[in-house]
């Protein structure tokens, strides 16, 4: 499990840029919950990383701005009983967040006009509906 964190394609975060912290978890764990440090915090300095190029780093800093504290993003995991599974969960969560942050922006929508047939079908459906409602009315 230790080693570089693969984000996508050629983007790989070296193990040296990841900082781990362990503490007692408030989640499930039975009798051992008060003695084992199963909660995991994984920190990654987005602002100082060498794993991302300038364009990807700028995109990540912009998209992750709400999650960053002094350019550092921290992900916590405490849903599993074992520290190892929480470490795997934190790595997966960090990789997912970074993958979304450095993804290229979606292509712009090219505006199109409705076709003549779709306009005619819409108007015919409106006419049919109004005829149904008109025929339901009582004439007093």
């Amino acid at each position: 499990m230790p080693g570089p964190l693969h984000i996508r394609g050629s983007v790989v975060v070296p193990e040296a840029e990841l900082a781990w912290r362990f503490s007692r978890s408030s989640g499930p764990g039975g009798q051992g919950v008060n003695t084992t440090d199963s909660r995991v915090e994984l920190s990654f300095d987005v602002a100082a990383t060498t794993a991302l190029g300038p364009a990807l780093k700028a995109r990540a800093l912009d998209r992750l701005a709400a999650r960053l504290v002094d350019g550092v993003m921290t992900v916590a995991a405490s849903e599993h009983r074992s520290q190892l599974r929480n470490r795997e969960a934190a790595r997966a969560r960090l990789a997912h967040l970074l993958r979304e942050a450095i993804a290229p922006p979606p292509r712009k929508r090219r505006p199109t006009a409705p076709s003549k047939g779709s306009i005619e079908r819409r108007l015919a459906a409106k006419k049919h509906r109004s005829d149904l409602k008109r025929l339901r009315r009582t004439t007093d």
Side-chain angles (χ1 to χ4, degrees):
M1 204 234 14
L5 180 64
H6 295 279
I7 306 301
R8 74 167 187 167
S10 63
V11 180
V12 178
V13 176
E15 175 70 25
E17 293 188 9
L18 301 175
W20 297 93
R21 262 186 63 208
F22 307 101
S23 60
R24 291 187 182 149
S25 177
S26 63
Q31 292 176 338
V33 74
N34 295 325
T35 59
T36 58
D37 290 341
S38 60
R39 183 174 189 270
V40 172
E41 285 186 14
L42 176 58
S43 298
F44 173 61
D45 194 347
V46 181
T49 186
T50 59
L52 302 174
L56 291 180
K57 189 187 292 189
R59 190 181 298 161
L61 287 170
D62 182 48
R63 290 184 181 169
L64 295 171
R67 287 194 63 114
L68 299 178
V69 177
D70 297 329
V72 178
M73 181 170 61
T74 303
V75 175
S78 62
E79 60 266 16
H80 301 289
R81 290 175 62 158
S82 77
Q83 186 187 100
L84 180 65
R85 289 185 64 193
N86 282 330
R87 286 176 73 135
E88 291 168 354
R91 282 176 65 94
R93 204 170 294 152
L94 179 67
H96 177 72
L97 287 169
L98 286 174
R99 202 173 297 119
E100 284 184 347
I102 65 172
R107 292 199 349 225
K108 288 199 76 127
R109 181 189 171 278
R110 201 168 97 204
T112 57
S115 66
K116 192 172 181 180
S118 69
I119 293 172
E120 288 172 1
R121 284 190 299 275
R122 182 179 63 86
L123 293 176
K126 286 176 69 158
K127 176 89 172 109
H128 177 70
R129 193 84 190 137
S130 69
D131 288 344
L132 276 176
K133 291 185 175 193
R134 184 177 45 80
L135 291 172
R136 278 192 214 136
R137 278 190 244 152
T138 58
T139 53
D140 289 335

